[in-house]
Amino acid sequence: MGLFFISVVLLLTALCGAYWFWRRHIEAELAEGAAIEWAHYQKHEPEFLEGITEKAFRQIYARVNMPRFPGYALAMFATFLLSLPVTFAILAAIVWAAQQMGLTPEPLEIIRAVNLGDSKAAEAWQCNMHCQLQVTEAYAGFYYFFGVLLAWLGIVAFFTRRYHGRRPGYLRDEIIRSRE
């Protein structure tokens, strides 16, 4: 688990570094585009920009035109990977609590209830009682699979709502909104 965590941290560090360099490049391009738009508005619609400084216009322009998806994707990926130990700890605590309350059946009880010993299903499995016990215990892995899946769906829902909730409007709309 330690090796996994170290490799995840190294991977995330590399991805954050690549994102940082990419973002610097995009910000330079946005500064150039903002200067061109500022000159265009000053020439054709100077009354529309009354009360807005060039610095404020550049910030509005960057907020509208900055690609947001890579940052959100990186944050979601980091949350996926860093949430795994927490998710497994929570799932283990839930299983432990269910066992203490007697809510989880023992594998032998499942085998007796299904009665695979005399049926054709047991012949199809071609294994003895010990093998059937191991197969039954392996089904518990599905609870962990669906628990991790549920946690990841929660993470996706959180970031998706945040992504769409903070979406900026068009440049003209944001300029009007910044005056209010």
Side-chain angles (χ1 to χ4, degrees), residues 76-99:
M76 194 170 7
F77 182 67
T79 307
F80 280 163
L81 294 178
L82 296 176
S83 72
L84 277 176
V86 175
T87 303
F88 285 136
I90 290 170
L91 291 173
I94 290 171
V95 168
W96 179 82
Q99 286 176 345

Side-chain angles (χ1 to χ4, degrees), residues 82-152:
L82 296 176
S83 72
L84 277 176
V86 175
T87 303
F88 285 136
I90 290 170
L91 291 173
I94 290 171
V95 168
W96 179 82
Q99 286 176 345
Q100 295 302 316
M101 291 188 284
L103 298 175
T104 57
E106 292 295 323
L108 284 174
E109 293 174 9
I110 295 172
I111 291 172
R112 286 188 196 116
V114 176
N115 195 10
L116 294 175
D118 297 332
S119 67
K120 292 184 180 182
E123 294 171 16
W125 280 16
Q126 297 180 353
C127 64
N128 59 11
M129 187 75 148
H130 181 70
C131 175
Q132 293 173 10
L133 180 62
Q134 288 179 337
V135 169
T136 307
E137 287 175 345
Y139 283 128
F142 283 112
Y143 296 120
Y144 283 93
F145 170 75
F146 286 115
V148 169
L149 190 65
L150 184 66
W152 283 4

Side-chain angles (χ1 to χ4, degrees), residues 18-83:
Y19 175 74
W20 182 74
F21 281 116
W22 172 82
R23 187 173 172 105
R24 281 187 46 195
H25 176 70
I26 295 297
E27 285 173 348
E29 289 181 2
L30 288 175
E32 183 181 329
I36 293 169
E37 282 290 321
W38 175 262
H40 175 75
Y41 276 117
Q42 287 295 334
K43 184 177 180 182
H44 297 289
E45 297 181 74
E47 68 280 348
F48 181 66
L49 294 178
E50 283 182 14
I52 294 181
T53 64
E54 187 173 0
K55 181 181 177 184
F57 179 80
R58 286 176 186 261
Q59 290 174 347
I60 293 168
Y61 185 86
R63 182 175 62 237
V64 168
N65 293 304
M66 178 60 131
R68 298 175 314 122
F69 179 75
Y72 277 91
L74 180 62
M76 194 170 7
F77 182 67
T79 307
F80 280 163
L81 294 178
L82 296 176
S83 72

